Amino acid sequence: MMLVSSWTTSRLRMLEWRHPEWWIVVSSVAAWVVLLTIEPHILLARTPAISTGSQSLLGHMASEAALCLAMIVAMMLPLITWHGRFVALSSFWARRQRAIVEFVGGYIAVWMLASLMILAALHALYPLLGEQGTLVIAFGAAAVWQLIPAKRVALSHCHRTASLTARDRGTDIDCVRFGATIGHSCVAACWGLMAAVMSTHALIVMVLLFTVQLWERSHRRPNLRVSAAFITGVGSALLLLGLAGSEVPD
Amino acid sequence: MFVRQDVWRLSSDEPWHPVLLWYGRAVRRMQERNGTDFSDPTCWQHLAEAHGTAIARGQWPAGALWNECEHGGWFFLPWHRMYLYHFERIARAAVVELGGPSDWALPYWNYSDPSQPEARKLPPAFKAVATPDGEQNPLFVQERDPNINLGSDMNELAVDTSAALAEIRFAGSMVTPSFGGGQSNRAHTGGLPGTLEVVPHGAVHMEVGGGSGWMSAFDTAARDPIFWLHHANLDRLWEAWLLLAGRENPAPAQWLDQRFKLGSGSWVTALTISDMLDTQAQPLDYRYDDVPAELVAEAAGGGPVIPPRGGTMDEQTPPELIGASAGSVPLGHGESSTEIDVRRPMGPLASADEEELLRIYLKLENVVGSRLAAGSYIVRLDLGGGAAASERPETRAGVVSLFGVRESSRADEDHPGSGLSFTLDVTDVAKELMRARGGSLDQIRVTFSPLAGVSPKETQPDVQVGGVKLFVA
């Protein structure tokens, strides 16, 4: 038993050394699992995310915020594993994990703010346009944004680095600020994709648009007309298959 | 098979050797094709803009693949190999079209050749204003450091290949130095350059280009005909490095399967890196007439002439930060410095045997700016203010070049705006300082001094190093 424990400790220490950013990936996987297990019905159909249903407004907003957080952790954190590693390796040993937490905190805070604004916009559109109209606007905005030069600039900025203070009290602020900076670039690049996902909350859409994000980040100069066409295709398929607007069975 | 020859050996026999004469004619022919919009994929300017361009994307000719150069990472060498191959095919076709030899090949500029006293000067055919037949010389460009065009030597530190050839690994990481550059996705700039990419590559660019010449910027470098001979030499040094014991190209499919594409219309070159590793096989089909004699001796079994460095530690066991500067450091006309408090490693490396295992790296992060006081800087380490003068053996740790700093500081769709970063292996220097202090190192001072001023001089340089960090691995 002690041998196993020692082996495990040694392995964990090695993991911590080699991949201090490991928990960013683990958190994302956990968020995907949570989304799938807590709300399995959202695989193909939208949840009543926009209409308040029988919940109190406060309760509804809280559950929406929790869902936003899960979506951000699932879809966005994998995009910053490189940055998490960068932040860890730029910090003294004893501060590595703290630095990643601060960086991720700054990043998520910006994304949460943006997500809540997107959600508010969808809430405003929903009574006017209905579910299908809202979906058309969200997917349309996501596809058009792909074609605008500002998207390319934002995508390029997602790859930036910073010289983080390592040895005085500015360290914590630097890590949070760097997280917020990358978060800002990431929101500027991907707000449209997030809006499209939030207009349906369908897990399959999350997966498809997540692959678009990964593809964009792994290419130096991705052909964003291709991704715009893909997003348009996904939105059109949702409308044609009638997934948008279908009620979720209880 | 095509043979690339040493330009100085050709020039010492005959300043206008036929290889150079035909190169000049081919350059002129390609320049005549420029037109107004550079849309001909075989014209000089089209080929130059493929490396880097300041022309707005909306004004590019249809199908142009411009601004494609790879710097700051492990694609630097293979991308430039393909770029040379693409250019050489077009230049050779121009030579043949003009009645020249069908086996013409691009020469290389071996500025590090100790047996050639003139090697650090620009070859004569590139300095002459006129060709032997009295025409304007297409190999001469005004947009260089004036001293280089007047026949000055480049600084010997700018052409020193020893640090690059000593690297044991091709690919590095976020911190670890390497021969070929840090592992990364494709990126115009922003990653960690290999040691060869900094010196001699970047340093020679800056020595030739000076403050505002073509060679000193990504966007204009390939307009200068000497660019191609400089990069042929770097390509040759890659071949030479592979002859040394323990050196090999990366094996990951992410590198081998990376595909690059250049040109348009009937002149397209699209190859994966694995297509280009054997230069003597198709499609490349070329070799160099010479590799450095000491490397040949080592490859023949004479033992390591250039001791490898870098150890076995790599990205799998990443370096640990043990010291950092308090802030940024300006790089101006004179010396500038910063002090680093050094801590003992606290992670698994705390128990490592210092003498045998530890490598010490100095990382210069986020060097940004647009107005340069010098093209390259010498980096020195000493024991800092706390040490008595008698125990301060100031020691040179390396040279960093500012080639590309302007473009990489620009935040646009091709550049994240993070500037340049460098890592120097300072193990030997740091251990010498440690010995001077009786085995411990609690503070070091890092000093930057200009390798040479650039010309014309900037009165208010704005380049600064974002931070200086010390790592152990």
Side-chain angles (χ1 to χ4, degrees):
Chain A
M1 192 66 180
M2 273 186 61
L3 205 63
V4 172
S5 169
S6 163
W7 184 86
T8 309
T9 308
S10 153
R11 285 303 212 177
L12 284 174
R13 187 170 165 78
M14 194 54 81
L15 177 68
E16 167 64 21
W17 184 16
R18 292 180 176 178
H19 296 288
E21 76 286 8
W22 62 271
W23 60 265
I24 295 180
V25 179
V26 170
S27 302
S28 171
V29 172
W32 282 104
V33 171
V34 166
L35 285 167
L36 194 59
T37 53
I38 303 295
E39 297 194 57
H41 54 271
I42 67 170
L43 180 61
L44 287 172
R46 68 172 298 282
T47 58
I50 295 169
S51 57
T52 55
S54 56
Q55 280 185 305
S56 70
L57 184 61
L58 199 62
H60 177 72
M61 292 303 285
S63 65
E64 285 294 295
L67 192 56
C68 280
L69 181 62
M71 285 168 56
I72 291 165
V73 172
M75 291 181 69
M76 300 303 170
L77 287 205
L79 305 180
I80 56 162
T81 48
W82 186 92
H83 293 91
R85 182 177 182 78
F86 171 81
V87 167
L89 297 191
S90 301
S91 304
F92 288 115
W93 182 267
R95 274 196 43 87
R96 280 186 169 189
Q97 289 306 323
R98 179 169 161 172
I100 304 179
V101 169
E102 288 164 350
F103 167 76
V104 171
Y107 178 83
I108 287 181
V110 172
W111 254 119
M112 274 302 287
L113 188 65
S115 299
L116 294 174
M117 288 168 68
I118 292 168
L119 194 63
L122 293 174
H123 270 285
L125 288 175
Y126 180 70
L128 301 172
L129 304 173
E131 288 176 13
Q132 294 197 351
T134 306
L135 183 140
V136 168
I137 292 291
F139 274 77
V144 169
W145 185 246
Q146 298 293 107
L147 305 175
I148 291 176
K151 158 82 182 193
R152 283 192 178 281
V153 174
L155 207 51
S156 167
H157 290 186
C158 291
H159 297 288
R160 75 175 70 178
T161 62
S163 183
L164 303 172
T165 308
R167 73 174 200 184
D168 56 27
R169 282 174 294 182
T171 313
D172 296 324
I173 295 170
D174 257 16
C175 290
V176 174
R177 186 187 294 139
F178 184 47
T181 303
I182 296 297
H184 178 261
S185 301
C186 199
V187 166
C190 296
W191 67 268
L193 290 168
M194 185 57 102
V197 168
M198 290 173 73
S199 71
T200 76
H201 279 178
L203 201 62
I204 191 74
V205 175
M206 280 182 67
V207 171
L208 290 172
L209 298 191
F210 177 55
T211 58
V212 171
Q213 290 178 317
L214 290 179
W215 174 77
E216 283 178 352
R217 301 305 172 95
S218 62
H219 286 72
R220 170 169 159 189
R221 201 178 282 160
N223 186 344
L224 296 179
R225 277 178 291 194
V226 171
S227 52
F230 183 78
I231 293 163
T232 308
V234 172
S236 305
L238 286 173
L239 289 172
L240 287 172
L241 295 172
L243 295 178
S246 63
E247 286 303 316
V248 179
D250 290 325
Chain B
M1 181 175 303
F2 302 103
V3 180
R4 293 180 179 172
Q5 302 176 78
D6 181 349
V7 69
W8 263 112
R9 284 194 201 158
L10 300 176
S11 300
S12 42
D13 293 342
E14 218 179 330
W16 280 98
H17 187 279
V19 168
L20 294 167
L21 208 52
W22 283 111
Y23 180 45
R25 288 170 181 161
V27 170
R28 182 184 295 129
R29 182 75 192 91
M30 288 189 276
Q31 288 173 342
E32 287 165 357
R33 296 173 187 152
N34 277 344
T36 52
D37 63 352
F38 318 133
S39 58
D40 182 342
T42 67
C43 81
W44 183 258
Q45 198 78 11
H46 188 102
L47 287 160
E49 305 298 315
H51 186 267
T53 185
I55 299 173
R57 193 176 297 271
Q59 294 168 23
W60 293 7
L65 286 171
W66 286 358
N67 224 19
E68 287 284 312
C69 70
E70 291 285 341
H71 292 97
W74 66 343
F75 295 129
F76 165 73
L77 283 166
W79 185 87
H80 282 85
R81 172 168 285 179
M82 194 180 91
Y83 188 40
L84 284 179
Y85 168 66
H86 180 72
F87 171 82
E88 190 181 44
R89 282 197 308 141
I90 291 169
R92 185 181 300 124
V95 168
V96 172
E97 180 190 323
L98 294 165
S102 60
D103 64 349
W104 180 88
L106 194 61
Y108 64 89
W109 181 16
N110 181 12
Y111 28 68
S112 315
D113 184 357
S115 68
Q116 172 54 262
E118 304 284 285
R120 286 187 280 125
K121 295 186 197 313
L122 206 58
F126 293 81
K127 288 184 300 200
V129 177
T131 59
D133 47 10
E135 290 187 24
Q136 189 181 351
N137 178 11
L139 302 183
F140 172 81
V141 296
Q142 195 76 49
E143 293 81 0
R144 292 181 185 137
D145 187 308
N147 296 320
I148 285 289
N149 267 343
L150 288 172
S152 294
D153 282 325
M154 292 189 288
N155 191 299
E156 60 186 337
L157 293 178
V159 301
D160 183 1
T161 58
S162 59
L165 293 174
E167 295 290 359
I168 191 73
R169 62 173 88 74
F170 184 96
S173 67
M174 288 177 185
V175 177
T176 317
S178 62
F179 176 75
Q183 291 190 36
S184 64
N185 291 327
R186 285 194 65 193
H188 201 50
T189 61
L192 197 62
T195 307
L196 185 80
E197 189 181 333
V198 182
V199 179
H201 166 252
V204 166
H205 267 283
M206 298 310 293
E207 290 284 304
V208 175
S212 54
W214 283 344
M215 275 284 275
S216 62
F218 288 163
D219 290 348
T220 52
R223 294 180 194 176
D224 189 330
I226 198 66
F227 168 92
W228 305 94
L229 281 71
H230 171 36
H231 272 273
N233 188 50
L234 297 166
D235 188 62
R236 167 182 159 275
L237 288 169
W238 181 12
E239 288 295 281
W241 179 80
L242 286 167
L243 290 174
L244 296 167
R247 274 71 158 183
E248 53 188 26
N249 284 321
Q254 185 198 352
W255 189 77
L256 292 172
D257 296 343
Q258 179 63 53
R259 188 179 176 82
F260 304 119
K261 186 179 173 190
L262 284 169
S264 61
S266 56
W267 282 98
V268 172
T269 305
L271 297 169
T272 63
I273 292 177
S274 57
D275 293 333
M276 297 187 281
L277 293 182
D278 184 354
T279 70
Q280 301 194 28
Q282 294 294 337
L284 300 188
D285 195 28
Y286 70 82
R287 67 177 178 83
Y288 290 96
D289 67 344
D290 183 29
V291 291
E294 64 272 27
L295 305 187
V296 175
E298 180 174 339
V305 176
I306 298 174
R309 69 177 188 193
T312 55
M313 298 284 185
D314 56 19
E315 178 73 345
Q316 293 303 306
T317 49
E320 180 183 336
L321 180 71
I322 56 168
S325 64
S328 59
V329 190
L331 296 182
H333 293 291
E335 237 179 48
S336 52
S337 65
T338 185
E339 300 218 338
I340 295 178
D341 294 326
V342 184
R343 305 177 180 188
R344 284 198 61 77
M346 302 291 288
L349 292 170
S351 56
D353 180 333
E354 282 185 15
E355 282 304 313
E356 295 302 319
L357 287 179
L358 297 186
R359 306 297 308 174
I360 302 171
Y361 304 135
L362 187 77
K363 188 176 185 194
L364 314 177
E365 296 181 327
N366 302 91
V367 182
V368 293
S370 58
R371 297 189 301 273
L372 281 59
S376 303
Y377 283 81
I378 302 169
V379 184
R380 292 189 173 87
L381 301 186
D382 70 28
L383 288 171
S390 59
E391 51 178 21
R392 287 167 60 175
E394 191 179 273
T395 319
R396 196 173 69 229
V399 171
V400 293
S401 141
L402 299 184
F403 177 55
V405 71
R406 297 184 188 94
E407 291 91 339
S408 57
S409 302
R410 212 163 60 199
D412 57 28
E413 63 184 81
D414 280 314
H415 312 90
S418 307
L420 304 172
S421 291
F422 308 95
T423 302
L424 300 171
D425 187 328
V426 297
T427 308
D428 295 340
V429 179
K431 285 185 175 173
E432 190 174 321
L433 295 177
M434 256 189 242
R435 279 191 287 274
R437 289 286 279 179
S440 68
L441 198 61
D442 49 13
Q443 191 179 58
I444 60 166
R445 182 169 58 189
V446 183
T447 305
F448 301 90
S449 30
L451 185 62
V454 294
S455 182
K457 290 192 185 305
E458 288 283 357
T459 50
Q460 290 183 311
D462 65 350
V463 179
Q464 58 174 22
V465 183
V468 183
K469 293 193 167 108
L470 197 67
F471 291 85
V472 67

